[in-house]
């Protein structure tokens, strides 16, 4: 592979986030009562928490099989209510639980049907 092919392609990630920002910004405005600390936290969360995560996933996704990568990316958001429950004692709604079960069930079914047949 050439050096260019080895480098993670972050352009689609950046463009996708810029589009999401542009679409959501009108709904977030006007911002009232935001302090300097609030803005600092927002910049930190956007640049480090989200930015670093995208850089790492973009770089690492090339090193795992396609099915494994897609399963990990599909399962990760379904665990958000679990983390909220574990860390903040926030109880997920019945719809959140149902949606999570639906995604996990579909992911499991897809991985099971796509798995190569194993010889006994």
């Amino acid at each position: 592979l050439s050096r260019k092919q080895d480098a993670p392609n972050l352009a689609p990630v950046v463009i996708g986030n810029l589009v999401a920002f542009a679409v959501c910004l009108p709904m977030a405005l006007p911002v009232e009562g935001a302090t300097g600390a609030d803005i600092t936290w927002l910049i930190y969360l956007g640049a480090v928490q989200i930015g670093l995560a995208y850089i790492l996933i973009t770089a690492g996704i090339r090193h795992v099989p396609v099915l494994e990568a897609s399963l990990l990316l599909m399962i990760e958001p379904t665990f958000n209510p679990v983390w909220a429950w574990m860390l903040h004692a926030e109880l997920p709604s019945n719809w959140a639980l149902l949606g999570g079960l639906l995604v996990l069930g579909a992911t499991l079914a897809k991985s099971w049907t796509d798995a190569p047949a194993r010889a006994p």
Side-chain angles (χ1 to χ4, degrees), residues 24-120:
C24 294
L25 184 61
M27 292 177 276
L29 294 176
V31 176
E32 296 176 6
T35 65
D38 295 333
I39 302 299
T40 302
W41 276 110
L42 284 174
I43 292 170
Y44 166 77
L45 291 172
V48 177
Q49 181 189 24
I50 294 174
L52 183 60
Y54 276 134
I55 290 169
L56 293 175
I57 194 74
T58 304
I61 205 163
R62 296 175 293 137
H63 302 287
V64 296
V66 174
L67 178 62
E68 210 170 298
S70 65
L71 292 176
L72 286 170
L73 291 172
M74 286 173 33
I75 288 175
E76 187 271 331
T78 63
F79 280 105
N80 286 339
V82 174
W83 308 139
W85 169 70
M86 289 174 62
L87 297 174
H88 302 289
E90 181 181 311
L91 294 175
S93 69
N94 289 338
W95 286 111
L97 292 173
L98 181 63
L101 286 174
L102 181 67
V103 171
L104 289 174
T107 302
L108 181 64
K110 177 71 173 152
S111 62
W112 184 57
T113 59
D114 286 354
R118 294 191 178 112

